[in-house]
Amino acid sequence: MNELLEKYQDQFDESFPLMLFMGVDKEEIKAKIEECLENDEPYDAPEISEDELI
């Protein structure tokens, strides 16, 4: 996992937003990072509307 996070940081010059994946299985997170790296596109977090905020 750390290796993938480092590759993501190197490729996009930003950290992968792990905080958005709290409670998500580690394998799912790895797959999402790999998808970003393969597509050469950083993760685009979905926008949250005000009524979805706690």
Side-chain angles (χ1 to χ4, degrees):
M1 174 81 107
N2 287 338
E3 185 178 320
L4 283 175
L5 291 170
E6 287 178 24
K7 285 181 181 180
Y8 187 96
Q9 175 73 41
D10 291 343
Q11 188 164 331
F12 303 117
D13 200 30
E14 63 184 55
S15 297
F16 184 79
L18 280 176
M19 68 273 184
L20 298 177
F21 289 85
M22 289 174 41
V24 176
D25 181 64
K26 198 173 192 175
E27 293 305 314
E28 289 182 56
I29 297 171
K30 285 181 177 181
K32 182 52 76 177
I33 297 171
E34 289 171 340
E35 178 184 324
C36 291
L37 294 171
E38 289 172 11
N39 294 332
D40 197 28
E41 293 183 8
Y43 181 73
D44 188 21
E47 291 193 26
I48 301 173
S49 64
E50 283 188 36
D51 58 333
E52 292 179 282
L53 297 175
I54 298 175

